[in-house]
């Protein structure tokens, strides 16, 4: 079959573009550990604030020594407003919302998840020491632009671990 030279150029162009798109997705997933947050864990948004999983927001350490951050996003604040975390340590975030969809974005890191009422979003990441801004990146209402909080990541040796608890044994 004879394929015109221009046709052939376009075909190769498309094939190369598809290969680049696929490779960049694979590199982000495997190299930078960017994954869509799991949406398999559900919660009743009407009682999210009194649910045992979210009654106490903030940093906790489970019986196996793993660090968890429990955060509620609501119009128009993040609870708690500041988290103090250890550097170079995996931290698992658990997020939910009692009202509308918010977006938890730890600026300049790969930590990001949609926060959807009815679901618990979860991701695990680690940080270098420093201060990080958390922004809401999902339009949620008139106060969307003021919905921000902070992460303070301190060297592991200076970090004060809260008392271990069994809330997040999974
Ligand atoms: Cu919450 Cu935008």
């Amino acid at each position: 079959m004879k394929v015109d030279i221009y046709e052939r150029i376009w075909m190769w162009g498309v094939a190369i573009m598809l290969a680049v798109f696929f490779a960049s997705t694979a590199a982000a997933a495997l190299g930078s550990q960017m994954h869509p947050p799991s949406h398999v864990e559900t919660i009743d948004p009407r009682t999210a604030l009194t649910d045992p999983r979210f009654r106490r927001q903030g940093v906790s350490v489970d019986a196996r020594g793993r660090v968890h951050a429990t955060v509620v996003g609501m119009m128009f604040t993040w609870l708690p407003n500041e988290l103090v975390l250890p550097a170079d340590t995996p931290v698992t975030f658990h997020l939910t919302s009692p009202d509308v969809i918010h977006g938890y974005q730890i600026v300049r890191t790969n930590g990001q998840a949609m926060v959807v009422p009815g679901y618990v979003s979860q991701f695990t990441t680690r940080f270098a020491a420093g201060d990080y801004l958390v922004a809401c990146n999902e339009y949620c209402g008139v106060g969307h632009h003021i919905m921000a909080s902070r992460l303070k990541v301190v060297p592991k040796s200076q970090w004060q671990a809260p008392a271990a608890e069994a809330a997040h044994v999974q």
Side-chain angles (χ1 to χ4, degrees):
M1 188 177 78
K2 185 181 178 327
V3 180
D4 186 82
I5 178 70
Y6 291 112
E7 196 88 19
R8 210 176 294 218
I9 289 168
W10 280 107
M11 275 159 56
W12 276 108
V14 168
I16 290 165
M17 272 192 276
L18 286 175
V20 169
F21 296 157
F22 181 78
S24 63
T25 305
L30 303 173
S32 314
Q33 255 123 61
M34 289 186 187
H35 299 292
S38 103
H39 268 180
V40 291
E41 189 183 347
T42 57
I43 187 169
D44 185 344
R46 288 164 300 182
T47 55
L49 284 166
T50 51
D51 187 284
R53 291 168 288 174
F54 284 91
R55 208 167 35 209
R56 273 191 49 202
Q57 301 102 28
V59 183
S60 60
V61 176
D62 69 21
R64 289 204 240 160
R66 293 172 304 190
V67 181
H68 298 266
T70 302
V71 177
V72 174
M74 55 197 288
M75 291 192 264
F76 297 100
T77 187
W78 297 108
L79 300 174
N81 205 250
E82 185 180 272
L83 293 171
V84 181
L85 296 167
D88 308 312
T89 306
V91 179
T92 301
F93 286 78
H94 308 265
L95 304 129
T96 196
S97 161
D99 43 49
V100 298
I101 296 176
H102 302 278
Y104 192 78
Q105 181 176 4
I106 308 166
V107 177
R108 291 174 197 279
T109 72
N110 68 350
Q112 167 165 310
M114 274 178 96
V115 183
V116 183
Y119 293 93
V120 177
S121 304
Q122 184 184 310
F123 65 87
T124 302
T125 190
R126 54 173 78 214
F127 306 97
D131 285 354
Y132 296 85
L133 170 70
V134 178
C136 181
N137 67 6
E138 197 80 42
Y139 183 73
C140 51
V142 288
H144 165 71
H145 62 288
I146 58 161
M147 191 165 167
S149 71
R150 302 220 146 258
L151 293 193
K152 254 179 123 68
V153 180
V154 299
K156 220 170 171 176
S157 54
Q158 292 169 23
W159 187 66
Q160 282 271 322
E165 56 173 273
H168 283 293
V169 184
Q170 290 161 2

